[in-house]
Amino acid sequence: MATVQIEVPTSARERKRNLLDFADWTADEIGALFDTADVMAQVLTRTIKKVPALQGFTVGTLFFEDSTRTRLSFERAARAQSADVISFASGGSSLSKGESLKDTLRTIDQMQADLYVVRHACAGVPHQIARWTEASVVNAGDGRRSHPTQALLDAYTFRGRFPGFDGFAGKRLAIVGDVMHSRVARSNVELWRKLGGEVVLCGPPPLLPPDVAPGVARTHRLEEALEGAHAVMALRLQRERMASPLLPSATEYVARYQVTETALELAHPDALVMHPGPLNRDIEIASEVADGPRSVIEAQVAAGVPIRMAVLYTLLVGKR
Ligand code: CP
């Protein structure tokens, strides 16, 4: 089986073969993705929400970890462009019979998908799969490492919803909560800075250790993080990734770090409230904020479809 060197791309075609993180993507290329997503969003307003752009292509969704938003929106994005979809979920698969990841991939590869969307609890698995297959690979979340299409849809939502948006320069995103376990935080830091914006990270010391995103502004005080922020992103506590409890009590966490209406008074007057989901109401975010006028949480989910349509189109049609 051919090997592809993801880390050292040798041609533009190889460079755009995968979306594993943003290392190989320029701000202009990301801007072009957003422009393509605008076209896709138009398609989704039509009576017939389908175009033949990816007819003849097959997209495989390989989810070794649970998902609602990412998996469904990728499948919607593929079908809206007339691609065929094959789906693998680790639950109910032959992984339970001892089949290895490589043999699982080699088995699925015989079904000749053109692109795999991969989620796995272990960092680096999408990169490894990209070395094992000729198909394109999109990272749909690998451990704590990266979730690039989530960051794309977050930035795309901000671009479309912030009043008078005139670029990311001078715009500040405050990310609050369990930063340590968050691939969404890491990908948003990578993308937001690439686009020229600023990021400040906020959380209690056990969930915001110094080695997470070195060089990025950080504070353990919610008020400091929210001061003048143009977007506030709350993150849930990822208890499933904590080997042992990292907080003395949820009550103290809520008192100090919950994004509330009162705390938001410090933010920019037009600040948007974001959350990648799934959210735990009245823990990391007050319910009234999640459902309030500043919230774009449902718009983020909706943006997932045109953004993922744009990603599939760019990778597959570029390949053709
Ligand atoms: N934001 C996100 O990745 O959600 P899912 O886990 O539901 O896909």
Side-chain angles (χ1 to χ4, degrees), residues 63 66-71 119 140 147 150 183-184 276-278 308:
F63 277 66
D66 294 344
S67 167
T68 298
R69 283 149 281 265
T70 310
R71 179 179 181 148
R119 171 172 288 190
H147 192 351
Q150 178 69 44
R183 55 197 176 206
V184 173
R308 287 166 175 141

Side-chain angles (χ1 to χ4, degrees), residues 28-49:
D28 284 348
E29 289 165 336
I30 291 160
L33 263 183
F34 289 162
D35 293 342
T36 305
D38 285 340
V39 176
M40 300 303 181
Q42 283 294 322
V43 168
L44 295 168
T45 64
R46 296 179 190 165
T47 308
I48 307 295
K49 300 172 177 56

